[in-house]
Amino acid sequence: MGFFLRLILTGLGWSFGGPLGGIIGYAIGSLFSGGVRVIRSGVTDTFGNTEEKRDFNVTLLVLSAAVMKADGNVKRSELDYVKRFFLQNFGQERAENYIKMLREILQKEYNIYEVSQQVGHYMDYSTRLQLLHYLFGIADSDGVISSEELGVINTISDYMGISNSDFLSVKAMFIKETDSAYKILGIAPSATDDEVKRAYREMAKKNHPDLVSNLGDEVRQAAEKKFQEINAAYETIKKQRGL
């Protein structure tokens, strides 16, 4: 019975459809056939109370799995990082359901190119930037971002439709270099003072925490941290230039 339920849910997918919906549907079918308790209104209430939060969360799981498997070794620190996010957002029971879903997804092979393209089609740009920030956080949870993890994140970013300058901006928040402040603002050290100011305004606008506040407190807190990194980069450059 569990096998047929899994096939049905794979066909129905989540709210997405497409390859992403198939992955999530298969994972949900596995969980239900394995005895996950469904509370009040079924799948919706078991995994989240709004469609936007649910979409973000399950997308995070699928992309997280790709990053976690990149170097062939899923680490406890990575699982803890993801669990902490869901625990702070949804409480113990829902967090456990999400982690069980993640374990199912980790066992499944899927086309990361198609999944990332689908995310790029249905998620707004600010949400995609926040997803990218989380993926770097997962890779960095053990203190080292491997070349394999960086390569997978770069691929996901590219197929999600994130610009190279924005990818380098988020990367510079985790991998510090001498010109990290400029990379965070998406400009070169040769930029004029006016270009620095303009770049800061543009970066602050598309990374403002209010743009993802609908995704929950934990997402907003992470967005605020990212926003602080942008402000700190701007202050560093201003201090260097005496602005």
Side-chain angles (χ1 to χ4, degrees):
M1 180 66 178
F3 173 75
F4 289 108
L5 174 60
R6 197 180 308 185
L7 285 180
I8 291 170
L9 286 171
T10 300
L12 292 175
W14 192 261
S15 61
F16 318 101
L20 185 54
I23 296 165
I24 297 302
Y26 191 89
I28 292 173
S30 299
L31 295 186
F32 285 166
S33 63
V36 169
R37 188 166 71 90
V38 183
I39 55 177
R40 292 204 298 276
S41 57
V43 175
T44 298
D45 218 39
T46 300
F47 292 104
N49 52 10
T50 72
E51 185 173 319
E52 287 176 306
K53 284 185 183 180
R54 205 165 63 244
D55 287 358
F56 180 87
N57 293 340
V58 296
T59 301
L60 178 61
L61 291 181
V62 175
L63 298 181
S64 296
V67 174
M68 293 164 75
K69 294 193 295 183
D71 55 7
N73 182 25
V74 177
K75 304 177 184 67
R76 167 54 59 181
S77 59
E78 296 168 337
L79 285 169
D80 288 344
Y81 184 96
V82 179
K83 186 173 183 179
R84 188 162 55 249
F85 163 73
F86 289 110
L87 187 62
Q88 291 173 343
N89 262 296
F90 296 106
Q92 187 70 33
E93 183 174 26
R94 283 179 178 163
E96 289 178 357
N97 285 340
Y98 273 117
I99 294 303
K100 288 176 182 176
M101 182 187 287
L102 175 61
R103 292 183 188 279
E104 291 290 336
I105 295 170
L106 283 167
Q107 301 302 313
K108 187 174 178 60
E109 296 298 324
Y110 53 89
N111 189 316
I112 191 61
Y113 307 106
E114 293 180 354
V115 169
S116 300
Q117 282 183 322
Q118 187 178 0
V119 172
H121 285 316
Y122 80 81
M123 277 194 173
D124 65 79
Y125 199 75
S126 295
T127 302
R128 281 178 271 157
L129 285 176
Q130 197 57 44
L131 274 172
L132 181 63
H133 190 269
Y134 266 110
L135 295 181
F136 268 107
I138 291 167
D140 194 44
S141 62
D142 62 347
V144 179
I145 299 178
S146 69
S147 59
E148 293 86 359
E149 289 170 329
L150 185 60
V152 169
I153 295 173
N154 196 351
T155 296
I156 292 171
S157 177
D158 187 34
Y159 278 83
M160 284 198 303
I162 292 176
S163 70
N164 187 56
S165 62
D166 282 335
F167 170 79
L168 293 176
S169 172
V170 178
K171 175 188 172 185
M173 296 178 188
F174 292 89
I175 302 176
K176 300 299 183 181
E177 298 173 330
T178 55
D179 59 348
S180 287
Y182 287 96
K183 287 181 177 177
I184 288 173
L185 294 189
I187 53 177
S190 59
T192 65
D193 291 348
D194 285 342
E195 288 172 336
V196 169
K197 294 175 184 177
R198 184 164 59 251
Y200 167 71
R201 288 194 298 269
E202 292 175 355
M203 195 63 70
K205 183 178 179 180
K206 63 186 171 186
N207 286 279
H208 198 282
D210 285 349
L211 295 173
V212 293
S213 60
N214 56 315
L215 298 175
D217 292 340
E218 180 68 8
V219 178
R220 182 182 171 82
Q221 288 172 15
E224 288 173 350
K225 181 179 179 182
K226 179 156 58 81
F227 196 68
Q228 289 168 3
E229 291 264 13
I230 293 169
N231 286 331
Y234 184 48
E235 291 301 320
T236 296
I237 295 172
K238 286 201 300 180
K239 185 176 180 180
Q240 290 174 350
R241 295 186 174 211
L243 296 178

